[in-house]
């Protein structure tokens, strides 16, 4: 469903991403792990059209999308949940969700999808008229995911969904990610600094280091890899 071929991204003279190639098959959860500054968020921003690609190809469902406007990419079926959630704090929870459906025009379908989001995250229904800024970090993450789902994506880009959240809340968020794949067939590209949490729910993964793909493999292979354990799982010795 999503393929990157030799993608390069520059910030001025800084070569932030270097000839990255990866793919995500329909219905897969693929994790992209790496340290801060590895280029993970930059790569997601390039896929969603927010960041310009300076070389290579980005192909979504057989269509080249590098250079397309973000709103067009959303209409094609690809939505991003940004790092640090970026909800619209002064607006209500309900208005945040409605903004996620801004490319859609069938009000009945939008209303039905909002009900599905509320069923998935009941706390959002309870607080639907509250300002988003008043929500806890975990609730804001639920809102950010719900807002992305309102665009009816076929592929979801999740950027650090566990950032700043308590471990139990983080586990709940990842349970919902797995349920979305199981129940809706959603394809997910997941960026997460917590490699253990990401690989626990992913089918496959890529390790990004200083803008390059260093390793790739199944989640089990990466979890068993000695270098990955030392660098990202906090294990100095084999267990």
């Amino acid at each position: 469903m999503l393929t990157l071929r030799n993608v390069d991204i520059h910030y001025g003279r800084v070569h932030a991403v270097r000839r990255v190639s990866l793919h995500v098959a329909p219905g897969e959860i693929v994790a992209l792990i790496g340290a801060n500054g590895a280029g993970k968020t930059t790569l997601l921003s390039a896929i969603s059209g927010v960041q310009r690609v300076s070389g290579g190809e980005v192909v979504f469902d057989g269509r080249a999308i590098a250079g397309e406007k973000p709103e067009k990419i959303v209409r094609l079926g690809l939505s991003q949940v940004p790092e640090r959630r970026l909800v619209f704090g002064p607006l209500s929870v309900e208005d945040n969700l409605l903004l996620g459906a801004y490319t859609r025009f069938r009000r009945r379908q939008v209303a039905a999808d909002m009900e599905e989001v509320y069923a998935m995250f009941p706390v959002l229904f309870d607080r639907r008229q509250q300002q988003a800024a008043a929500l806890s970090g975990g609730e804001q993450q639920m809102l950010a995911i719900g807002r992305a789902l309102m665009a009816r994506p076929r592929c979801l880009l999740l950027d650090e969904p566990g950032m700043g959240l308590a471990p139990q809340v983080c586990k709940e968020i990842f349970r919902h990610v797995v349920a979305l794949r199981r129940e809706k067939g959603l394809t997910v590209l997941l960026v997460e600094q917590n490699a253990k949490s990401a690989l626990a729910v992913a089918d496959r993964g890529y390790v990004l280091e200083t803008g390059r793909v260093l390793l790739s493999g199944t989640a089990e292979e990466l979890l068993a890899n000695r270098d990955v354990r030392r660098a990202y799982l906090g294990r100095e010795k084999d267990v």
Side-chain angles (χ1 to χ4, degrees):
M1 179 169 284
L2 178 65
T3 302
L4 277 63
R5 300 188 186 100
N6 299 320
V7 168
D8 284 300
I9 303 171
H10 288 79
Y11 288 117
R13 295 183 179 181
V14 177
H15 201 168
V17 171
R18 299 171 180 267
R19 299 183 67 79
V20 166
S21 296
L22 59 82
H23 71 278
V24 186
E28 273 194 313
I29 298 177
V30 174
L32 187 61
I33 62 175
N36 282 335
K40 306 185 303 296
T41 292
T42 297
L43 204 58
L44 288 197
S45 296
I47 294 169
S48 61
V50 175
Q51 173 63 41
R52 188 175 67 87
V53 172
S54 51
E57 293 182 289
V58 180
V59 179
F60 176 64
D61 199 20
R63 178 171 180 163
I65 60 171
E68 296 284 7
K69 293 182 177 180
E71 59 267 30
K72 186 172 184 178
I73 292 173
V74 171
R75 288 190 182 98
L76 291 173
L78 195 152
S79 292
Q80 181 172 353
V81 180
E83 183 181 20
R84 301 185 186 277
R85 301 173 276 279
L86 300 183
V87 297
F88 298 98
L91 300 184
S92 69
V93 166
E94 191 159 289
D95 284 343
N96 269 267
L97 293 176
L98 286 171
L99 281 171
Y102 81 103
T103 61
R104 301 173 57 194
F105 303 101
R106 296 184 179 180
R107 293 185 179 181
R108 289 184 181 179
Q109 288 184 355
V110 169
D113 289 347
M114 188 175 292
E115 291 303 315
E116 285 194 17
V117 171
Y118 285 147
M120 183 182 302
F121 302 119
V123 67
L124 297 183
F125 178 78
D126 295 339
R127 304 192 179 187
R128 62 191 181 279
Q129 298 305 325
Q130 292 186 19
Q131 286 187 331
L135 302 180
S136 69
E139 290 164 352
Q140 288 188 8
Q141 187 63 65
M142 295 173 191
L143 178 56
I145 292 172
R147 181 181 60 188
L149 293 176
M150 289 298 294
R152 282 202 171 180
R154 290 176 292 135
C155 181
L156 192 65
L157 307 178
L158 272 173
D159 196 354
E160 300 279 7
M163 177 180 286
L165 302 184
Q168 193 58 40
V169 177
C170 186
K171 287 181 182 179
E172 182 181 356
I173 294 296
F174 281 116
R175 280 198 296 269
H176 285 298
V177 172
V178 173
L180 285 167
R181 188 266 292 273
R182 182 179 64 248
E183 296 169 9
K184 294 182 174 295
L186 197 65
T187 302
V188 179
L189 179 57
L190 167 66
V191 160
E192 180 59 58
Q193 194 171 356
N194 186 330
K196 187 174 182 180
S197 295
L199 293 173
V201 300
D203 301 298
R204 295 186 298 109
Y206 295 85
V207 178
L208 203 64
E209 188 171 289
T210 59
R212 295 182 175 90
V213 172
L214 185 66
L215 293 168
S216 65
T218 66
E220 292 79 8
E221 289 169 346
L222 292 179
L223 283 168
N225 184 284
R226 191 171 186 174
D227 293 332
V228 171
R229 290 206 304 271
R230 286 177 172 173
Y232 304 109
L233 303 181
R235 299 177 182 175
E236 293 298 328
K237 297 181 180 180
D238 289 341
V239 293

